[in-house]
Amino acid sequence: MAQLTLKNIKKSFGDTPVLHDISLDVNDGEFVSLVGQSGCGKSTLLRIIAGLEQPDSGDVLIDGQSMLNAAPKDRNIAMVFQDYALYPHMSVGENMAMPLVMASLPLYARLPMMRSITPAGRKAQPHIREGVEKVSKQLHIDHLLDRKPAQLSGGQRQRVALGRALVRDPQVFLMDEPLSNLDAKLRVQVRSEITELHASSGLTFVYVTHDQVEAMTMSRRVALLQTGHLLQVGTPNDLFSDPANLDVAQFIGSPEINITAGESRAGQITIGEAQLPIDLGATGPVQIGIRPETISVPNAKGLVAAHAPKQGHMVTFTKRLIEDLGPEVLIHGAFAHAPDGIIRIRAQKSDAYSNAGMLAQSEALEVMLNPNQLLFFGADGQRLRPVVGAATRAEMA
Amino acid sequence: MADISQTPTALWFDRFKPKSLGRVITSVLLFLGAWVMVFPFIWMISSSMKPTDEVYDADFSIIPKTFKGFENYYGVIFEQPYLVFLMNSMIVCIGILIIQLLTAIPAAYALAKLKFRGSTILFGTVIAAITIPINVTSIPLYIGLVRVGLLDTYFAMMFPFIVSVFAIFLFRQFFRGFPDSIIQAARVDGFSEIEIILRLILPSAVPAIAAFSVFSFVAHWNDLYWPLIVVQSQDKMTATLSMMQYQSAFDTDYGRTYASATVVTAPMVIAFLFARRLFIRGITMTGVKG
């Protein structure tokens, strides 16, 4: 149970800055993901929270108390590592007991033989055994307690690592890409297990991943990092549908958002032959982000026209390649007015879909853009929002 | 089932038949090489059974003309405190090894895994120290030991070797391969740095420690130079040093010297036969001839 606050964290390794002024609040019991490409500083930030690295400046607070001078063990955090970091020479039970042994015994009583001899060790022993048993049952690894880590499968090791972190009843639970060493099927399973764990434990979770799907599906809020800058913090839906800038829009969503060039002038935006009555309050070239799911192909046989907006605008599209994803297809191509740019359309199949029919369609397709679902960015990549009054006025007229 | 009786009966010496000229030449070369290695030992054993005047006889033969083996070996084993020499050697070798491990392992851990200002320079210094031979430092060390009056003690015999730069280097290289994440997990779990070494690093470093132990033990067992300088009385003599007893400026009993050399070499050779795999790993890992 803890509120975690990061205040203006700065960190560089040598001359290379890795974190620029990061501030973030994680509420009590919240699940927050730190997501970004490798090298964006997310793992360093997590290690700073854990106390394994010291920030150059800034502060880490847990429940309002500065943790800068506290050793990792005194922060009452638990951490799960990408490669599980199990102690190779200890059994699963010993691995899980370690945090309790270290926390509840004085130095002389921690040594392997001393634990059963010394009074302090004897006194703590039932408590330690109980803790390990409880957590191992919870994670369904109680039958593995005597095995060595090398004898376990990847998924089992992952669970032991979770167990070792849980057993000490931490305030904050830190995870550093815990799923990236698992195969795809297992990853989905453990993903939901971690989500359940969060729900049942009510602990504060900070989860580092490079996988936006993990971040989006598991967390209440996502913090997107890029080259040491915190780009945006928000709910998964915020990041997807209301990105602060082009980088966020491009990182979130799969397949990646389409970017095409347009022109904003006098309350109108021009994309190829289409004229959209959207007032950005600015004049000049803009970058337009179009999610692959929001483009519909109303005239194509066998595809569901996902939405047929009243104010859809037609643009000519040149088809190059069709990928069949099962329930839907991914159409690669380009807009006729910008033949160099790659545009992907993700469209639902209808019952009438047939491969031959789709392929037989002419190269040029008329596709429909929904103006309400377009995202606009300036030349600097910052989001441009339509002037609200103007948009509503246009609608009314 | 194939009919076994149909295969032609091979003559027992067929497998010694050379397959090609190249093989013959290789075998001859290998045999010569092996002879060069083994001959000194044969010479040693042969001479240990001869009287002194026959050892350097121009008319050399491996089989002694006058057999003095019993006298020589009896003299070495029973007319001097041979067991005391062996015990001295054991005390010195084991003592050196224990102190070397105690000093080198924490130092190597710090150099391999801890980030601190000047660690690279410190490690460079360690490497540079490997190049200094003991002969350079032996005179100041000797004078120092004389001043503090510790000559002819076990302490004096171990003192120059309590820090093995080579061990620091070897262990540092080995520890670097230990996953950082396990060390970080241990820190989060509340391990102290000493406990990280004792409970996590040491169990994984057993091969390296075993290898270095063999290397160190053999090196100090065979060491003649330093005991010769600091040992003055017979009750502190090591086994290797005891060979020198039969030598003097005027009269050297070569037969007994060789018998003594044989007896001193024997424990290492026997240990080698029993723990051959460990020795070989020790030598290949440390990359130094023992």
Side-chain angles (χ1 to χ4, degrees):
Chain A
M1 299 293 121
Q3 157 123 16
L4 172 72
T5 309
L6 301 178
K7 259 191 197 159
N8 307 97
I9 299 282
K10 284 182 191 161
K11 175 77 181 171
S12 36
F13 291 128
D15 296 333
T16 326
V18 283
L19 293 172
H20 309 265
D21 206 13
I22 305 282
S23 294
L24 179 67
D25 271 304
V26 181
N27 296 323
D28 186 14
E30 200 178 17
F31 193 130
V32 169
S33 290
L34 303 176
V35 67
Q37 277 137 358
S38 43
C40 71
K42 57 193 190 298
S43 289
T44 308
L45 190 59
L46 196 73
R47 283 206 298 275
I48 286 175
I49 300 173
L52 295 165
E53 300 268 5
Q54 285 297 321
D56 296 341
S57 67
D59 204 350
V60 177
L61 301 117
I62 294 179
D63 278 340
Q65 276 197 310
S66 171
M67 287 289 149
L68 274 195
N69 297 316
K73 66 182 163 80
D74 300 326
R75 299 187 180 198
N76 205 9
I77 43 130
M79 189 156 169
V80 175
F81 292 83
Q82 182 175 356
D83 56 1
Y84 321 132
L86 300 177
Y87 308 133
H89 299 271
M90 297 182 196
S91 68
V92 167
E94 279 290 288
N95 260 286
M96 288 173 63
M98 266 315 130
L100 293 179
V101 170
M102 294 296 155
S104 56
L105 292 181
L107 187 64
Y108 69 92
R110 290 178 195 168
L111 302 165
M113 303 298 265
M114 300 302 274
R115 223 188 301 160
S116 45
I117 301 170
T118 53
R122 283 219 194 132
K123 213 176 122 198
Q125 199 79 318
H127 154 71
I128 292 169
R129 196 172 304 139
E130 209 172 279
V132 170
E133 266 170 27
K134 194 183 118 210
V135 172
S136 61
K137 282 215 181 82
Q138 188 186 343
L139 294 168
H140 310 293
I141 48 172
D142 42 336
H143 59 294
L144 303 172
L145 290 181
D146 293 327
R147 300 231 193 128
K148 290 278 168 67
Q151 296 167 294
L152 303 179
S153 70
Q156 289 170 332
R157 283 181 209 178
Q158 181 57 61
R159 245 166 262 183
V160 176
L162 283 175
R164 188 179 63 183
L166 271 177
V167 78
R168 65 187 304 190
D169 201 13
Q171 291 185 304
V172 182
F173 211 104
L174 308 175
M175 300 198 191
D176 192 359
E177 309 223 11
L179 303 185
S180 55
N181 284 3
L182 300 178
D183 61 61
K185 210 170 177 181
L186 206 52
R187 204 176 298 165
V188 176
Q189 187 194 333
V190 181
R191 196 163 81 193
S192 57
E193 281 176 14
I194 292 177
T195 317
E196 273 170 37
L197 188 68
H198 172 249
S200 63
S201 67
L203 295 173
T204 309
F205 273 46
V206 180
Y207 186 100
V208 161
T209 179
H210 65 272
D211 182 353
Q212 48 128 342
V213 179
E214 270 176 33
M216 300 288 277
T217 51
M218 297 170 79
S219 35
R220 195 172 305 165
R221 281 195 301 151
V222 177
L224 186 73
L225 280 142
Q226 195 173 61
T227 56
H229 294 278
L230 195 55
L231 293 186
Q232 190 174 357
V233 187
T235 63
N237 187 54
D238 281 347
L239 262 68
F240 182 78
S241 53
D242 192 13
N245 57 43
L246 190 57
D247 290 325
V248 177
Q250 283 182 312
F251 190 85
I252 304 286
S254 171
E256 199 177 288
I257 194 167
N258 298 304
I259 303 294
T260 189
E263 187 82 17
S264 166
R265 184 168 296 129
Q268 292 262 318
I269 289 176
T270 314
I271 309 171
E273 62 266 45
Q275 297 278 332
L276 282 63
I278 295 171
D279 185 4
L280 290 178
T283 302
V286 288
Q287 302 184 76
I288 300 156
I290 314 166
R291 295 271 176 211
E293 304 84 356
T294 66
I295 306 177
S296 55
V297 196
N299 304 328
K301 215 196 261 169
L303 294 181
V304 177
H307 28 79
K310 276 180 247 160
Q311 295 171 312
H313 293 265
M314 304 306 279
V315 178
T316 314
F317 173 83
T318 318
K319 176 182 79 188
R320 276 190 212 132
L321 175 74
I322 295 173
E323 282 180 76
D324 196 325
L325 304 177
E328 43 199 29
V329 288
L330 198 57
I331 309 167
H332 297 253
F335 287 140
H337 68 273
D340 293 332
I342 298 169
I343 300 291
R344 296 183 196 85
I345 301 172
R346 190 166 163 186
Q348 289 255 304
K349 290 178 187 173
S350 72
D351 294 342
Y353 179 83
S354 82
N355 231 338
M358 190 64 218
L359 293 171
Q361 292 255 335
S362 61
E363 290 263 301
L365 294 170
E366 287 294 306
V367 298
M368 188 188 274
L369 306 178
N370 181 353
N372 297 325
Q373 289 178 311
L374 300 179
L375 302 168
F376 304 98
F377 304 95
D380 57 352
Q382 286 306 309
R383 179 84 181 275
L384 299 174
R385 290 166 202 277
V387 179
V388 180
T392 31
R393 240 181 289 128
E395 238 161 68
M396 278 161 57
Chain B
M1 289 280 281
D3 194 351
I4 298 166
S5 64
Q6 273 193 350
T7 46
T9 33
L11 290 168
W12 68 269
F13 52 81
D14 269 8
R15 62 192 164 117
F16 295 111
K17 222 191 246 174
K19 300 225 162 51
S20 69
L21 185 67
R23 289 237 180 159
V24 175
I25 294 171
T26 317
S27 298
V28 169
L29 284 176
L30 286 175
F31 181 79
L32 286 175
W35 180 250
V36 168
M37 292 291 166
V38 170
F39 181 71
F41 289 93
I42 295 173
W43 191 0
M44 176 179 81
I45 292 166
S46 149
S47 303
S48 74
M49 293 184 263
K50 292 174 182 174
T52 295
D53 49 355
E54 199 191 314
V55 170
Y56 287 111
D57 201 359
D59 184 16
F60 176 79
S61 86
I62 285 180
I63 311 293
K65 283 172 207 145
T66 343
F67 187 75
K68 285 262 283 177
F70 289 121
E71 288 89 331
N72 285 345
Y73 280 97
Y74 185 87
V76 167
I77 296 171
F78 296 108
E79 288 176 359
Q80 58 168 1
Y82 175 63
L83 285 179
V84 171
F85 301 153
L86 278 189
M87 199 187 67
N88 287 340
S89 277
M90 292 298 270
I91 289 172
V92 169
C93 288
I94 291 174
I96 288 174
L97 178 62
I98 289 172
I99 305 171
Q100 279 178 338
L101 292 177
L102 283 179
T103 52
I105 288 172
Y109 172 71
L111 286 171
K113 288 296 182 192
L114 301 184
K115 273 184 260 169
F116 55 95
R117 214 172 272 275
S119 62
T120 10
I121 294 173
L122 210 57
F123 183 61
T125 320
V126 168
I127 299 275
I130 290 182
T131 61
I132 301 171
I134 185 190
N135 315 50
V136 172
T137 52
S138 55
I139 291 174
L141 277 173
Y142 178 79
I143 295 170
L145 288 167
V146 171
R147 289 274 164 85
V148 293
L150 282 173
L151 227 49
D152 200 32
T153 57
Y154 289 130
F155 176 83
M157 293 155 82
M158 299 182 202
F159 184 65
F161 312 108
I162 57 175
V163 175
S164 166
V165 174
F166 176 67
I168 296 176
F169 176 70
L170 179 77
F171 291 143
R172 186 243 184 201
Q173 297 306 93
F174 197 84
F175 293 169
R176 268 162 69 94
F178 194 84
D180 282 327
S181 61
I182 294 182
I183 294 175
Q184 291 176 348
R187 285 187 190 140
V188 171
D189 282 350
F191 284 62
S192 63
E193 296 297 312
I194 295 291
E195 280 174 297
I196 291 176
I197 297 177
L198 289 178
R199 309 193 72 159
L200 302 177
I201 305 267
L202 277 195
S204 76
V206 167
I209 292 170
F212 174 74
S213 302
V214 167
F215 166 79
S216 163
F217 199 91
V218 171
H220 295 293
W221 184 278
N222 291 340
D223 187 26
L224 182 64
Y225 178 76
W226 187 249
L228 193 59
I229 292 174
V230 291
V231 174
Q232 293 165 329
S233 61
Q234 202 186 34
D235 63 317
K236 286 290 185 302
M237 263 186 196
T238 61
T240 311
L241 184 61
S242 72
M243 290 190 301
M244 304 298 288
Q245 286 189 103
Y246 302 103
Q247 288 192 343
S248 70
F250 308 106
D251 176 35
T252 300
D253 189 340
Y254 281 112
R256 287 209 174 177
T257 304
Y258 279 113
S260 179
T262 309
V263 165
V264 166
T265 318
M268 280 295 120
V269 173
I270 291 166
F272 175 75
L273 292 178
F274 277 102
R276 196 169 48 183
R277 217 188 276 165
L278 194 64
F279 268 75
I280 290 171
R281 192 165 57 185
I283 289 159
T284 47
M285 187 183 272
T286 52
V288 180
K289 199 169 127 288

Short mmCIF file of all heavy atoms in Angstrom, two decimals, chain A residues 47 52-53 72-73 77 81 83 85-87 89 98-99 102 107 110 112 164 168, chain B residues 115 178-179 181-182 184-192 195 198-200 203-204:
data_model
loop_
_atom_site.label_atom_id
_atom_site.label_comp_id
_atom_site.label_asym_id
_atom_site.label_seq_id
_atom_site.Cartn_x
_atom_site.Cartn_y
_atom_site.Cartn_z
N ARG A 47 15.19 0.89 -11.94
CA ARG A 47 16.27 0.60 -11.00
C ARG A 47 16.48 1.76 -10.04
O ARG A 47 16.90 1.57 -8.91
CB ARG A 47 17.55 0.27 -11.75
CG ARG A 47 17.51 -1.14 -12.33
CD ARG A 47 18.90 -1.70 -12.50
NE ARG A 47 19.68 -0.92 -13.44
CZ ARG A 47 19.62 -1.10 -14.75
NH1 ARG A 47 18.88 -2.03 -15.25
NH2 ARG A 47 20.35 -0.36 -15.54
N LEU A 52 18.66 0.61 -6.89
CA LEU A 52 19.85 -0.05 -7.43
C LEU A 52 20.72 0.94 -8.19
O LEU A 52 21.89 0.67 -8.44
CB LEU A 52 19.44 -1.21 -8.34
CG LEU A 52 18.71 -2.34 -7.61
CD1 LEU A 52 18.02 -3.27 -8.60
CD2 LEU A 52 19.66 -3.13 -6.74
N GLU A 53 20.13 2.06 -8.58
CA GLU A 53 20.89 3.16 -9.19
C GLU A 53 20.53 4.42 -8.44
O GLU A 53 19.42 4.54 -7.91
CB GLU A 53 20.51 3.37 -10.66
CG GLU A 53 20.72 2.20 -11.56
CD GLU A 53 22.09 2.21 -12.23
OE1 GLU A 53 22.90 3.11 -11.89
OE2 GLU A 53 22.33 1.34 -13.05
N PRO A 72 18.10 -0.53 -1.11
CA PRO A 72 16.98 -1.23 -1.74
C PRO A 72 16.15 -2.04 -0.75
O PRO A 72 14.92 -2.01 -0.79
CB PRO A 72 17.66 -2.15 -2.74
CG PRO A 72 18.94 -1.49 -3.06
CD PRO A 72 19.35 -0.71 -1.84
N LYS A 73 16.82 -2.71 0.19
CA LYS A 73 16.07 -3.59 1.09
C LYS A 73 15.20 -2.80 2.05
O LYS A 73 14.22 -3.32 2.57
CB LYS A 73 17.03 -4.49 1.86
CG LYS A 73 17.93 -3.73 2.83
CD LYS A 73 18.88 -4.69 3.53
CE LYS A 73 20.05 -4.02 4.17
NZ LYS A 73 19.83 -3.39 5.45
N ILE A 77 10.30 -2.72 -1.32
CA ILE A 77 9.85 -2.94 -2.68
C ILE A 77 10.22 -4.37 -3.04
O ILE A 77 11.05 -4.99 -2.38
CB ILE A 77 10.55 -1.99 -3.65
CG1 ILE A 77 12.04 -1.91 -3.28
CG2 ILE A 77 9.95 -0.60 -3.60
CD1 ILE A 77 12.95 -2.11 -4.38
N PHE A 81 12.79 -9.66 -12.27
CA PHE A 81 13.73 -9.33 -13.34
C PHE A 81 13.39 -10.10 -14.62
O PHE A 81 12.77 -11.16 -14.58
CB PHE A 81 15.15 -9.66 -12.91
CG PHE A 81 15.66 -8.79 -11.81
CD1 PHE A 81 15.35 -9.06 -10.49
CD2 PHE A 81 16.42 -7.68 -12.09
CE1 PHE A 81 15.80 -8.25 -9.47
CE2 PHE A 81 16.88 -6.86 -11.07
CZ PHE A 81 16.57 -7.15 -9.76
N ASP A 83 15.31 -11.85 -16.57
CA ASP A 83 15.85 -13.22 -16.63
C ASP A 83 15.58 -13.96 -15.32
O ASP A 83 16.28 -14.90 -15.00
CB ASP A 83 17.34 -13.19 -16.97
CG ASP A 83 18.12 -12.34 -15.99
OD1 ASP A 83 17.50 -11.80 -15.06
OD2 ASP A 83 19.34 -12.22 -16.15
N ALA A 85 16.42 -14.00 -12.46
CA ALA A 85 17.43 -13.76 -11.42
C ALA A 85 17.21 -14.64 -10.19
O ALA A 85 17.34 -14.19 -9.07
CB ALA A 85 17.45 -12.28 -11.02
N LEU A 86 16.90 -15.91 -10.43
CA LEU A 86 16.79 -16.83 -9.29
C LEU A 86 18.19 -17.21 -8.83
O LEU A 86 19.13 -17.22 -9.61
CB LEU A 86 16.02 -18.08 -9.71
CG LEU A 86 14.60 -17.83 -10.20
CD1 LEU A 86 13.95 -19.13 -10.64
CD2 LEU A 86 13.76 -17.17 -9.11
N TYR A 87 18.31 -17.52 -7.54
CA TYR A 87 19.62 -17.92 -7.01
C TYR A 87 19.88 -19.36 -7.44
O TYR A 87 19.19 -20.28 -6.99
CB TYR A 87 19.64 -17.77 -5.50
CG TYR A 87 19.19 -16.39 -5.04
CD1 TYR A 87 18.28 -16.22 -4.02
CD2 TYR A 87 19.67 -15.25 -5.68
CE1 TYR A 87 17.87 -14.96 -3.63
CE2 TYR A 87 19.26 -13.99 -5.31
CZ TYR A 87 18.36 -13.85 -4.28
OH TYR A 87 17.95 -12.60 -3.91
N HIS A 89 21.93 -21.79 -6.94
CA HIS A 89 22.34 -22.92 -6.11
C HIS A 89 21.35 -23.21 -4.99
O HIS A 89 21.61 -24.05 -4.14
CB HIS A 89 23.73 -22.68 -5.53
CG HIS A 89 24.74 -22.53 -6.61
ND1 HIS A 89 25.42 -23.60 -7.13
CD2 HIS A 89 25.14 -21.45 -7.31
CE1 HIS A 89 26.20 -23.18 -8.09
NE2 HIS A 89 26.05 -21.88 -8.22
N MET A 98 14.34 -16.53 0.94
CA MET A 98 15.45 -15.57 1.16
C MET A 98 15.02 -14.18 1.63
O MET A 98 15.56 -13.67 2.60
CB MET A 98 16.29 -15.45 -0.12
CG MET A 98 17.48 -16.36 -0.16
SD MET A 98 18.39 -16.39 1.38
CE MET A 98 18.52 -18.13 1.62
N PRO A 99 14.04 -13.56 0.97
CA PRO A 99 13.67 -12.21 1.43
C PRO A 99 13.21 -12.20 2.89
O PRO A 99 13.52 -11.28 3.64
CB PRO A 99 12.51 -11.81 0.51
CG PRO A 99 12.66 -12.66 -0.69
CD PRO A 99 13.27 -13.95 -0.22
N MET A 102 16.28 -12.73 5.18
CA MET A 102 17.09 -11.52 5.28
C MET A 102 16.39 -10.45 6.12
O MET A 102 17.03 -9.69 6.83
CB MET A 102 17.36 -10.95 3.87
CG MET A 102 18.22 -11.85 3.04
SD MET A 102 19.85 -12.00 3.77
CE MET A 102 20.38 -13.57 3.11
N LEU A 107 22.32 -10.98 11.18
CA LEU A 107 23.34 -11.50 10.27
C LEU A 107 23.84 -12.89 10.68
O LEU A 107 23.91 -13.80 9.86
CB LEU A 107 24.51 -10.51 10.22
CG LEU A 107 25.59 -10.84 9.19
CD1 LEU A 107 25.02 -10.78 7.79
CD2 LEU A 107 26.76 -9.90 9.32
N ARG A 110 21.67 -15.90 9.79
CA ARG A 110 21.23 -16.14 8.42
C ARG A 110 21.98 -17.26 7.74
O ARG A 110 21.53 -17.81 6.76
CB ARG A 110 21.48 -14.89 7.58
CG ARG A 110 20.60 -13.74 7.90
CD ARG A 110 21.03 -12.62 7.01
NE ARG A 110 20.51 -11.35 7.45
CZ ARG A 110 20.94 -10.20 6.95
NH1 ARG A 110 21.89 -10.19 6.04
NH2 ARG A 110 20.44 -9.07 7.37
N PRO A 112 23.43 -20.65 6.52
CA PRO A 112 22.59 -21.82 6.30
C PRO A 112 22.44 -22.73 7.53
O PRO A 112 21.33 -23.10 7.88
CB PRO A 112 23.34 -22.55 5.18
CG PRO A 112 24.06 -21.49 4.46
CD PRO A 112 24.39 -20.42 5.46
N ARG A 164 8.96 -15.12 -5.07
CA ARG A 164 10.01 -14.56 -4.22
C ARG A 164 9.74 -13.08 -3.95
O ARG A 164 10.04 -12.56 -2.88
CB ARG A 164 11.37 -14.74 -4.90
CG ARG A 164 12.51 -14.35 -4.01
CD ARG A 164 13.83 -14.58 -4.69
NE ARG A 164 13.96 -13.74 -5.87
CZ ARG A 164 15.00 -13.79 -6.69
NH1 ARG A 164 15.97 -14.64 -6.48
NH2 ARG A 164 15.06 -12.99 -7.73
N ARG A 168 7.54 -11.32 0.59
CA ARG A 168 7.92 -10.35 1.63
C ARG A 168 6.85 -9.30 1.85
O ARG A 168 7.04 -8.39 2.65
CB ARG A 168 9.23 -9.68 1.25
CG ARG A 168 9.11 -8.85 0.00
CD ARG A 168 10.42 -8.34 -0.45
NE ARG A 168 11.07 -7.61 0.61
CZ ARG A 168 12.16 -6.89 0.45
NH1 ARG A 168 12.72 -6.85 -0.73
NH2 ARG A 168 12.70 -6.23 1.43
N LYS B 115 30.74 -0.62 -8.85
CA LYS B 115 31.13 0.57 -9.59
C LYS B 115 31.70 1.56 -8.60
O LYS B 115 31.02 1.95 -7.66
CB LYS B 115 29.92 1.19 -10.28
CG LYS B 115 29.66 0.59 -11.65
CD LYS B 115 28.52 1.31 -12.31
CE LYS B 115 27.24 0.50 -12.17
NZ LYS B 115 26.04 1.24 -12.56
N PHE B 178 29.10 -13.54 -13.94
CA PHE B 178 27.96 -13.77 -13.06
C PHE B 178 26.87 -12.73 -13.35
O PHE B 178 27.17 -11.54 -13.44
CB PHE B 178 28.41 -13.68 -11.60
CG PHE B 178 27.40 -14.22 -10.63
CD1 PHE B 178 27.35 -15.57 -10.36
CD2 PHE B 178 26.51 -13.38 -10.00
CE1 PHE B 178 26.42 -16.09 -9.48
CE2 PHE B 178 25.56 -13.88 -9.12
CZ PHE B 178 25.53 -15.24 -8.86
N PRO B 179 25.61 -13.16 -13.55
CA PRO B 179 24.57 -12.20 -13.96
C PRO B 179 24.37 -11.06 -12.95
O PRO B 179 24.18 -11.31 -11.75
CB PRO B 179 23.31 -13.06 -14.04
CG PRO B 179 23.78 -14.46 -14.12
CD PRO B 179 25.10 -14.53 -13.44
N SER B 181 21.80 -9.25 -12.72
CA SER B 181 20.44 -9.19 -12.21
C SER B 181 20.31 -10.02 -10.92
O SER B 181 19.53 -9.66 -10.04
CB SER B 181 19.45 -9.67 -13.27
OG SER B 181 19.72 -11.02 -13.60
N ILE B 182 21.07 -11.10 -10.81
CA ILE B 182 20.98 -11.91 -9.59
C ILE B 182 21.53 -11.10 -8.41
O ILE B 182 20.97 -11.11 -7.31
CB ILE B 182 21.74 -13.25 -9.76
CG1 ILE B 182 21.03 -14.10 -10.81
CG2 ILE B 182 21.81 -14.00 -8.44
CD1 ILE B 182 21.63 -15.44 -11.05
N GLN B 184 21.54 -7.86 -8.21
CA GLN B 184 20.57 -6.81 -7.90
C GLN B 184 19.38 -7.38 -7.14
O GLN B 184 18.89 -6.77 -6.20
CB GLN B 184 20.11 -6.13 -9.19
CG GLN B 184 21.24 -5.32 -9.82
CD GLN B 184 20.85 -4.72 -11.14
OE1 GLN B 184 19.83 -5.07 -11.72
NE2 GLN B 184 21.66 -3.81 -11.64
N ALA B 185 18.92 -8.56 -7.56
CA ALA B 185 17.81 -9.21 -6.86
C ALA B 185 18.21 -9.44 -5.40
O ALA B 185 17.41 -9.23 -4.48
CB ALA B 185 17.46 -10.52 -7.53
N ALA B 186 19.46 -9.87 -5.20
CA ALA B 186 19.92 -10.13 -3.84
C ALA B 186 19.94 -8.85 -3.02
O ALA B 186 19.58 -8.85 -1.84
CB ALA B 186 21.31 -10.76 -3.89
N ARG B 187 20.35 -7.75 -3.65
CA ARG B 187 20.37 -6.48 -2.90
C ARG B 187 18.96 -6.07 -2.51
O ARG B 187 18.72 -5.60 -1.40
CB ARG B 187 21.01 -5.38 -3.75
CG ARG B 187 22.51 -5.55 -3.81
CD ARG B 187 23.19 -4.39 -4.51
NE ARG B 187 24.58 -4.75 -4.74
CZ ARG B 187 25.25 -4.46 -5.83
NH1 ARG B 187 24.67 -3.78 -6.79
NH2 ARG B 187 26.50 -4.84 -5.95
N VAL B 188 18.01 -6.26 -3.43
CA VAL B 188 16.62 -5.92 -3.11
C VAL B 188 16.12 -6.82 -1.97
O VAL B 188 15.40 -6.38 -1.08
CB VAL B 188 15.72 -6.06 -4.36
CG1 VAL B 188 14.26 -5.92 -3.99
CG2 VAL B 188 16.10 -5.03 -5.40
N ASP B 189 16.54 -8.10 -2.01
CA ASP B 189 16.09 -9.03 -0.97
C ASP B 189 16.77 -8.80 0.37
O ASP B 189 16.40 -9.43 1.36
CB ASP B 189 16.36 -10.48 -1.41
CG ASP B 189 15.33 -10.95 -2.42
OD1 ASP B 189 14.33 -10.25 -2.61
OD2 ASP B 189 15.52 -12.03 -3.00
N GLY B 190 17.80 -7.96 0.41
CA GLY B 190 18.42 -7.63 1.68
C GLY B 190 19.74 -8.31 1.96
O GLY B 190 20.22 -8.27 3.09
N PHE B 191 20.35 -8.94 0.96
CA PHE B 191 21.69 -9.52 1.16
C PHE B 191 22.69 -8.39 1.38
O PHE B 191 22.60 -7.34 0.74
CB PHE B 191 22.14 -10.27 -0.09
CG PHE B 191 21.51 -11.62 -0.31
CD1 PHE B 191 20.16 -11.74 -0.50
CD2 PHE B 191 22.29 -12.77 -0.35
CE1 PHE B 191 19.58 -12.99 -0.72
CE2 PHE B 191 21.73 -14.01 -0.57
CZ PHE B 191 20.37 -14.12 -0.76
N SER B 192 23.66 -8.62 2.28
CA SER B 192 24.78 -7.69 2.33
C SER B 192 25.78 -8.12 1.26
O SER B 192 25.70 -9.23 0.73
CB SER B 192 25.44 -7.73 3.71
OG SER B 192 25.97 -9.02 3.94
N GLU B 195 27.45 -11.29 2.02
CA GLU B 195 26.58 -12.45 1.81
C GLU B 195 26.41 -12.76 0.33
O GLU B 195 26.26 -13.92 -0.04
CB GLU B 195 25.21 -12.19 2.45
CG GLU B 195 25.21 -12.41 3.93
CD GLU B 195 23.89 -12.00 4.55
OE1 GLU B 195 23.56 -10.81 4.49
OE2 GLU B 195 23.21 -12.88 5.09
N LEU B 198 29.43 -14.78 -0.37
CA LEU B 198 29.45 -16.10 0.27
C LEU B 198 28.34 -17.01 -0.26
O LEU B 198 28.58 -18.19 -0.49
CB LEU B 198 29.29 -15.95 1.79
CG LEU B 198 30.47 -15.37 2.52
CD1 LEU B 198 30.16 -15.24 4.00
CD2 LEU B 198 31.70 -16.25 2.33
N ARG B 199 27.15 -16.46 -0.44
CA ARG B 199 26.03 -17.34 -0.75
C ARG B 199 25.74 -17.47 -2.22
O ARG B 199 25.08 -18.41 -2.64
CB ARG B 199 24.77 -16.84 -0.04
CG ARG B 199 24.99 -16.60 1.42
CD ARG B 199 23.71 -16.43 2.11
NE ARG B 199 23.00 -17.70 2.19
CZ ARG B 199 22.06 -17.94 3.08
NH1 ARG B 199 21.71 -17.03 3.93
NH2 ARG B 199 21.46 -19.11 3.11
N LEU B 200 26.15 -16.50 -3.02
CA LEU B 200 25.81 -16.56 -4.44
C LEU B 200 27.03 -16.74 -5.33
O LEU B 200 27.06 -17.60 -6.19
CB LEU B 200 25.05 -15.30 -4.86
CG LEU B 200 23.77 -15.02 -4.10
CD1 LEU B 200 23.15 -13.72 -4.54
CD2 LEU B 200 22.79 -16.17 -4.28
N PRO B 203 29.44 -20.30 -4.50
CA PRO B 203 28.98 -21.60 -5.01
C PRO B 203 29.13 -21.71 -6.52
O PRO B 203 29.39 -22.79 -7.04
CB PRO B 203 27.50 -21.64 -4.61
CG PRO B 203 27.36 -20.68 -3.51
CD PRO B 203 28.38 -19.61 -3.73
N SER B 204 28.99 -20.58 -7.22
CA SER B 204 29.11 -20.67 -8.67
C SER B 204 30.57 -20.64 -9.13
O SER B 204 30.86 -20.93 -10.27
CB SER B 204 28.35 -19.51 -9.33
OG SER B 204 29.10 -18.33 -9.19
#
